[in-house]
Amino acid sequence: MRRGRLIGLAVALALFLALALQPGLFTPLLSLLVEPGTPLVYTRQSLIALAVWHIAVVASAEAVAVIVAVALGILVTREKGAEFMTLARMTSNLGQTFPPIAVLAMTVPLVGFGFQPTFIALAAYGLLPVFENTVAGLRGVPATTLEAARGMGMSKRAILMQVELPLAAPVILAGIRISTIINIGTATIGSTVGAKGLGEVIIAGLQAGNAAYVLQGAMLVALMAVCFDLAFRSLERRAFA
Amino acid sequence: MIEVRELTKRFGDRIAVDGISFEVRDGCVLALVGTSGCGKSTTLRMINRLVDPSSGEVMIDGRNALDMPLEQLRLGIGYVIQGIGLFPHWTVARNVATVPRLMGWERERIEARVSELLELFQLDPGEFAGKYPSELSGGQQQRVGVARAIAAEPAVLLMDEPFGALDPITRQRLQAEFAAIQRRRRMTVILVTHDMDEAFKLADTIAVMDEGRILQIASPEELLREPRQGFVRTLVGLDDRALRILSLHTVDEIRREPTGRWEVRGETLIDRESGRAVNGLGAGDTLREAASRIIWEAVETLPVLEAGSVVGEVRADDVWAAGGRRA
Amino acid sequence: MGISVPLQRRAGSGAPFSHAALVYAVPCVLALLALPFLSFRPNRIVSGEGVQVWDVAEGWGLVGTAALFVLAGATVLAGRQAARALLGFLGVALAMAVAGAGAKDLMADAPQFARVSLGGGFWLSCAFFALAAADALMRLDLRPLVRLAVAGFVAAALAAALASGWFDSLSLMQEYRANADTFAAAFRGHLILVGGSLLPALAIGLPLGWLCHVSSRARAVAVPILNILQTTPSIAMFGLLMIPLAALVAAIPELRRFGIAGIGVTPALIALTLYSLLPVVANTMAGFRAVPVETREAGRAMGMTRWTLLRQVELPLAAPVILTGVRIVVVQNIGLAAVAALIGGGGFGTLVFRGMGQTAMDLVLLGTLPIIAMAIVATILFDAAIDTMQRRRP
Ligand SMILES: Nc1ncnc2c1ncn2[C@@H]1O[C@H](COP(=O)(O)OP(=O)(O)OP(=O)(O)O)[C@@H](O)[C@H]1O
Ligand SMILES: [Mg+2]
């Protein structure tokens, strides 16, 4: 199982890098898709640069989302924050009913086009799964375990850092994975509001009716998502051990 | 009549049940006892074919269970599952009605049967019929589980630790009720239990299992008097076997004609020799109870009472002899 | 995506003073103080100038501001959750009334192409009042039918308000009037995308989920594939599907007569169906797995056929979890369907992307708000259904 995942990760990563660095290699394949004479490789920007931009916006938004969401999750699972639990869960549930495209569209009027609306939308939208899973993970720690920890004289802080968080880690990591995957996709849509990223290639392809562009962009984004998914899953496994 | 011949079950390389044979005559109760994991449940589950035997055969009333249509076989066998397994989405009444409904009984008949059974197990139908399993205590759930198993009056009943989660008092009451029903309906029963007292009380025959084999199969008394060396002895326990043997017999069996030593004065019974008031024994009391009372009262003999008058007496020597090694 | 199980029912509480309500009331007041309530633009494209809430049409402005502040404070102090919910709804109604009146006043003597949009102050205060109401309702732990009645009442009130003409001066309503036909078509298109993908997803997903439950081999094959499908970003999926479909149509042109094409509704429906499979399969599996072993064995031992067992025991027990999967799928597809507009799939995305193209934010909103509304309605309906199922057996 684990071996399969690592091999899958290596293959996906290799394909991704080949496609991003040496798109020329794929021209024989791409030429099957379009009428002769159509440009095959997207050249307005280098693909690897777009990929880096894509990762940068996702990673920066994700970092903010994780810090805020984990902090909030810890807060509402403490005794004093319990009152805010309903509130937080509801906001989070409601938030998840907002489609990513809507979050993106609603941020634009506030901050204009470009990097910012994408960043804000991704950070806001990325919060929800991380928060949900933090709460679920912390609540999932067996009461008997906590009782034992308390009985042994551990301080609240020690219980949180040494017992609760390590036990909740796989669930929290799963939340981060889900959130990252969603955001890699949403960042693609971000190109419609002028953020730099791989979505640009797909949208250019859709607008020009160029299937070669669409395939390139789509493959790159899909491979990127698969790579992150597999990498996170191996991490989750390790967190368990 | 259940006949089991050379029944074996392997899970992978592990042998869970290793070529066991026994028979249970109509209207009799066989108890399967043994430590955890020795293959008791697996044996039961092979009889209603929840588990397919690796080899061997099961005959029920002369028919090979392996040749019978699966559902028909199971509809005719009541099963009290280890862990109760009530249907959580159905009310108590609907749970009890499961097999009658599968057999297509009429509605009135089902309703009447459900009420009858609930009352039998001391669950007021008005209060409990509409409840869901999660609203019951563990012991109540267990009673519903037994009621459900005998709802369609099966001729054969398999019970896997049916009275496990009960307090001693409720357990004894239920055991007594169950024994009465079993005798009245002449059900053929295989009972799995960890509780040796339960086995001695309810079973006609006890099979002691260890590591998939039957080490000894015998009547309760024989098992107590002549347990095989080793595991059976440990399980049966030799320390209080005399008392256990006594509990298998009743006062009726050894009572003698009364000597006129006791005098009834109004409500009380007076021992003329000592001038003390004494409590008489009932004819159906066990010898174990008689022994206990004899020791407590520090007397040589006690009267047997029936409907307020003295009908016999029990002598300490006779009790000791009944519970002792035979010459 | 992970498996989601139905939310546990929450215990009601009737604290007289709610710290939680402060979380709504304080930002609500701050938003009203700091952000413009309306924004006025001489024409559709230029950026507007903000109008604070107290500056809107004379009578409404000061009285309205005061009333909004009082309502915000009252949600904190309200003694009962029911009162708190009512105050929340009143706050939303009042904010909308003030906005409508303000827009009417601003437009009264404005040039022909002038527009009045709703500002951050309006949106945030409305959102916080609505959240306060929803929070209070949730703590009341109403029965599903009552909840539906409340939701129906709110929806009816909203519809009546929009139909009354009070808001007609707002740019959002102007966009609606200008695009009424497109709006109706987008609504139809969106429903077709969501409904049209749900049916095949259920037809495939439920049996597949059951199969994966009973056969570990099926599980080992299907689940990783579905995982990868789910991981593929929506635009990429839409784009990738165009290619084989276009090739298919090029090879068999007759297919075009059935409306199959590389661009348009077909790839969108296929993509949405594929996205729906994992949640449906995962939750079906989880639902079946949650049926206690003893329960299943008891059913078998009592002579139930496999089919009877499935129908009478396993399915009813798994139903709430399966339905939760369906809810996830419906809500998710309502959102994803918006992206389908990029490949000509129709739906509200049409309005969103057109609005972005024209930098007409009110047009974007006109496309976005109904998507959110649909998602909320779907959530409320499904939650009520799931809750009903679970309440029948405590
Ligand atoms: N489905 C199965 N697959 C593999 N092994 C099994 C299975 N069912 C039972 N076993 C094994 O067979 C042996 C006998 O199990 P069984 O359930 O019959 O024990 P038991 O006597 O009923 O124990 P207990 O008193 O704890 O209920 C055990 O070692 C158990 O691990
Ligand atoms: Mg057992």
Side-chain angles (χ1 to χ4, degrees):
Chain A
M1 196 66 200
R2 178 177 292 179
R3 164 103 36 95
R5 194 169 286 142
L6 284 182
I7 294 174
L9 180 58
V11 171
L13 194 64
L15 260 178
F16 176 81
L17 288 176
L19 206 54
L21 293 169
Q22 293 293 329
L25 290 177
F26 296 83
T27 43
L29 192 75
L30 295 173
S31 65
L32 297 175
L33 294 174
V34 290
E35 316 266 302
T38 338
L40 292 174
V41 173
Y42 189 77
T43 45
R44 253 174 275 168
Q45 284 267 351
S46 88
L47 289 174
I48 190 74
L50 287 177
V52 170
W53 269 106
H54 201 106
I55 293 175
V57 66
V58 171
S60 54
E62 200 59 39
V64 174
V66 168
I67 293 171
V68 177
V70 172
L72 278 179
I74 292 175
L75 197 78
V76 298
T77 46
R78 296 310 95 183
E79 232 165 87
K80 279 187 191 137
E83 196 186 344
F84 298 97
M85 183 64 113
T86 335
L87 185 159
R89 299 283 304 255
M90 186 186 65
T91 320
S92 163
N93 274 338
L94 267 180
Q96 255 145 352
T97 62
F98 277 53
I101 181 81
V103 181
L104 209 54
M106 308 244 293
T107 336
V108 174
L110 295 176
V111 295
F113 284 86
F115 172 82
Q116 280 155 304
T118 313
F119 172 79
I120 292 176
L122 295 193
Y125 203 71
L127 269 174
L128 305 174
V130 183
F131 172 76
E132 279 286 317
N133 280 39
T134 307
V135 171
L138 289 174
R139 281 185 151 190
V141 178
T144 45
T145 310
L146 291 180
E147 181 91 19
R150 235 176 282 132
M152 286 185 291
M154 289 172 86
S155 69
K156 282 190 177 163
R157 199 189 142 79
I159 294 179
L160 177 66
M161 302 305 288
Q162 294 174 28
V163 180
E164 297 190 71
L165 282 179
L167 282 175
V171 186
I172 299 179
L173 268 177
I176 300 178
R177 166 173 57 84
I178 294 169
S179 150
T180 308
I181 300 305
I182 294 177
N183 275 346
I184 289 176
T186 314
T188 321
I189 310 175
S191 300
T192 58
V193 296
K196 273 208 181 85
L198 290 169
E200 218 179 291
V201 185
I202 301 176
I203 287 165
L206 288 172
Q207 278 165 353
N210 183 334
Y213 285 2
V214 173
L215 183 67
Q216 254 162 74
M219 287 296 293
L220 280 169
V221 182
L223 284 170
M224 183 189 287
V226 169
C227 286
F228 273 98
D229 187 64
L230 291 175
F232 269 110
R233 278 175 198 272
S234 332
L235 262 184
E236 282 163 39
R237 270 297 151 91
R238 210 142 303 170
F240 244 135
Chain B
M1 177 93 155
I2 306 171
E3 294 165 82
V4 168
R5 293 192 203 123
E6 291 298 321
L7 202 58
T8 299
K9 179 64 194 178
R10 288 188 201 86
F11 292 110
D13 318 330
R14 263 197 75 109
I15 296 196
V17 174
D18 192 0
I20 65 172
S21 307
F22 58 80
E23 55 175 65
V24 191
R25 266 173 290 129
D26 279 342
C28 289
V29 179
L30 171 82
L32 284 179
V33 297
T35 44
S36 197
C38 70
K40 305 181 297 289
S41 298
T42 308
T43 306
L44 276 200
R45 288 149 53 93
M46 282 192 283
I47 292 171
N48 62 7
R49 286 177 57 201
L50 283 171
V51 168
D52 279 320
S54 307
S55 67
E57 55 188 24
V58 175
M59 310 288 287
I60 292 177
D61 291 333
R63 293 177 66 191
N64 191 335
L66 290 173
D67 297 337
M68 284 163 74
L70 201 59
E71 273 82 36
Q72 194 200 326
L73 171 80
R74 288 177 182 164
L75 283 175
I77 302 180
Y79 182 49
V80 182
I81 184 174
Q82 184 175 18
I84 311 175
L86 295 182
F87 300 115
H89 59 310
W90 286 345
T91 60
V92 165
R94 179 75 178 79
N95 262 288
V96 175
T98 309
V99 181
R101 282 180 71 130
L102 287 171
M103 308 209 327
W105 288 16
E106 281 160 29
R107 223 163 57 98
E108 292 80 39
R109 187 167 165 217
I110 296 180
E111 277 169 16
R113 181 73 179 141
V114 168
S115 308
E116 181 195 340
L117 278 168
L118 290 183
E119 265 164 26
L120 202 60
F121 285 98
Q122 315 214 344
L123 297 163
D124 173 22
E127 187 187 344
F128 287 96
K131 287 201 171 180
Y132 287 90
S134 60
E135 296 169 302
L136 304 183
S137 74
Q140 289 165 342
Q141 291 183 23
Q142 227 160 17
R143 279 182 264 172
V144 176
V146 179
R148 182 176 68 172
I150 61 174
E153 308 192 350
V156 172
L157 182 62
L158 309 177
M159 308 216 288
D160 202 341
E161 294 181 40
F163 306 121
L166 298 172
D167 66 276
I169 294 174
T170 315
R171 178 182 320 174
Q172 277 174 21
R173 213 185 52 221
L174 268 184
Q175 284 167 345
E177 271 158 19
F178 170 76
I181 299 169
Q182 187 271 329
R183 248 174 269 131
R184 200 163 62 229
R185 304 248 187 251
R186 287 189 49 75
M187 284 187 291
T188 310
V189 180
I190 301 183
L191 166 77
V192 168
T193 180
H194 279 294
D195 178 356
M196 285 311 291
D197 283 325
E198 182 169 289
F200 288 129
K201 190 182 295 179
L202 296 179
D204 302 299
T205 314
I206 298 177
V208 180
M209 287 185 71
D210 191 33
E211 297 187 347
R213 292 168 201 259
I214 292 184
L215 299 183
Q216 185 171 8
I217 181 162
S219 71
E221 177 131 16
E222 195 185 336
L223 199 67
L224 285 163
R225 291 195 180 275
E226 285 151 33
R228 297 243 167 98
Q229 289 292 339
F231 178 73
V232 181
R233 279 198 183 192
T234 328
L235 193 74
V236 171
L238 299 187
D239 291 343
D240 56 355
R241 70 167 146 185
L243 293 176
R244 281 192 155 148
I245 291 173
L246 285 181
S247 68
L248 296 173
H249 297 276
T250 58
V251 164
D252 223 16
E253 296 170 28
I254 58 162
R255 91 176 181 213
R256 296 170 183 253
E257 287 305 308
T259 52
R261 173 174 174 173
W262 296 280
E263 178 188 351
V264 181
R265 275 190 213 151
E267 294 286 282
T268 51
L269 199 60
I270 304 290
D271 184 346
R272 288 200 178 111
E273 275 176 32
S274 65
R276 276 198 323 206
V278 292
N279 281 322
L281 293 162
D285 288 353
T286 64
L287 290 188
R288 182 184 178 131
E289 284 162 311
S292 170
R293 295 270 296 286
I294 287 171
I295 296 168
W296 179 250
E297 303 278 358
V299 292
E300 282 303 311
T301 164
L302 274 178
V304 180
L305 284 181
E306 223 163 67
S309 58
V310 178
V311 295
E313 65 170 72
V314 164
R315 296 215 186 126
D317 292 342
D318 293 342
V319 176
W320 307 157
R325 185 199 298 274
R326 281 182 192 147
Chain C
M1 220 166 278
I3 296 149
S4 164
V5 287
L7 277 181
Q8 292 297 307
R9 246 176 293 135
R10 296 139 294 251
S13 90
F17 173 84
S18 172
H19 293 286
L22 274 179
V23 179
Y24 304 118
V26 172
C28 176
V29 169
L30 287 181
L32 284 171
L33 287 174
L35 295 174
F37 198 69
L38 295 173
S39 116
F40 178 81
R41 290 167 300 162
N43 65 55
R44 189 178 171 210
I45 308 299
V46 297
S47 65
E49 53 193 273
V51 180
Q52 294 295 349
V53 58
W54 51 86
D55 288 332
V56 303
E58 305 94 58
W60 283 95
L62 286 176
V63 179
T65 313
L68 283 172
F69 284 3
V70 169
L71 279 175
T75 57
V76 180
L77 297 173
R80 290 147 147 258
Q81 298 294 357
R84 189 169 287 141
L86 195 66
L87 288 167
F89 284 129
L90 277 180
V92 175
L94 183 62
M96 286 176 61
V98 173
K104 210 180 283 178
D105 183 66
L106 283 169
M107 289 301 283
D109 40 26
Q112 198 192 345
F113 295 108
R115 291 292 178 120
V116 179
S117 299
L118 297 162
F122 170 82
W123 287 119
L124 289 179
S125 60
C126 263
F128 283 112
F129 275 122
L131 280 175
D135 179 53
L137 284 179
M138 198 173 254
R139 282 174 205 264
L140 274 177
D141 195 23
L142 299 173
R143 274 185 292 123
L145 269 184
V146 182
R147 240 157 45 203
L148 286 184
V150 171
F153 180 76
V154 170
L158 199 63
L162 289 177
S164 70
W166 186 259
F167 305 101
D168 284 358
S169 310
L170 282 169
S171 171
L172 190 60
M173 292 304 280
Q174 285 173 308
E175 292 288 2
Y176 171 70
R177 279 197 303 279
N179 296 288
D181 294 342
T182 326
F183 187 90
F187 186 40
R188 268 196 308 278
H190 219 87
L191 286 182
I192 289 175
L193 286 174
V194 174
S197 59
L198 182 64
L199 290 183
L202 291 181
I204 303 170
L206 293 179
L208 187 59
W210 178 80
L211 190 71
C212 288
H213 166 67
V214 291
S215 146
S216 57
R217 194 164 317 152
R219 189 162 52 234
V221 175
V223 173
I225 294 179
L226 293 179
N227 258 323
I228 290 198
L229 281 179
Q230 195 75 11
T231 312
T232 313
S234 51
I235 291 195
M237 178 88 94
F238 288 126
L240 287 173
L241 278 171
M242 288 167 56
I243 295 163
L245 279 174
L248 191 68
V249 174
I252 317 171
E254 294 84 57
L255 284 178
R256 224 181 286 272
R257 276 197 306 163
F258 301 103
I260 294 178
I263 258 188
V265 183
T266 324
L269 279 178
I270 297 179
L272 292 179
T273 305
L274 291 177
Y275 274 126
S276 315
L277 282 179
L278 182 65
V280 173
V281 169
N283 276 55
T284 307
M285 255 159 53
F288 279 121
R289 199 174 328 128
V291 177
V293 212
E294 294 88 17
T295 307
R296 191 175 291 131
E297 176 153 326
R300 285 209 297 144
M302 282 189 290
M304 290 184 174
T305 58
R306 198 166 194 172
W307 170 240
T308 313
L309 190 67
L310 182 69
R311 206 167 39 90
Q312 292 198 358
V313 178
E314 294 180 309
L315 262 185
L317 284 174
V321 185
I322 297 180
L323 205 59
T324 309
V326 179
R327 183 199 69 190
I328 294 174
V329 161
V330 169
V331 171
Q332 165 194 291
N333 281 5
I334 288 174
L336 284 178
V339 184
L342 275 180
I343 54 163
F348 280 116
T350 331
L351 295 173
V352 175
F353 287 114
R354 188 189 295 172
M356 288 208 238
Q358 302 175 356
T359 50
M361 278 313 137
D362 287 302
L363 190 52
V364 172
L365 274 179
L366 188 64
T368 307
L369 291 178
I371 296 177
I372 295 172
M374 283 172 76
I376 292 178
V377 168
T379 307
I380 292 177
L381 289 179
F382 274 103
D383 278 348
I386 295 167
D387 216 9
T388 313
M389 268 184 195
Q390 287 180 321
R391 269 177 206 244
R392 266 192 293 140
R393 60 186 116 100

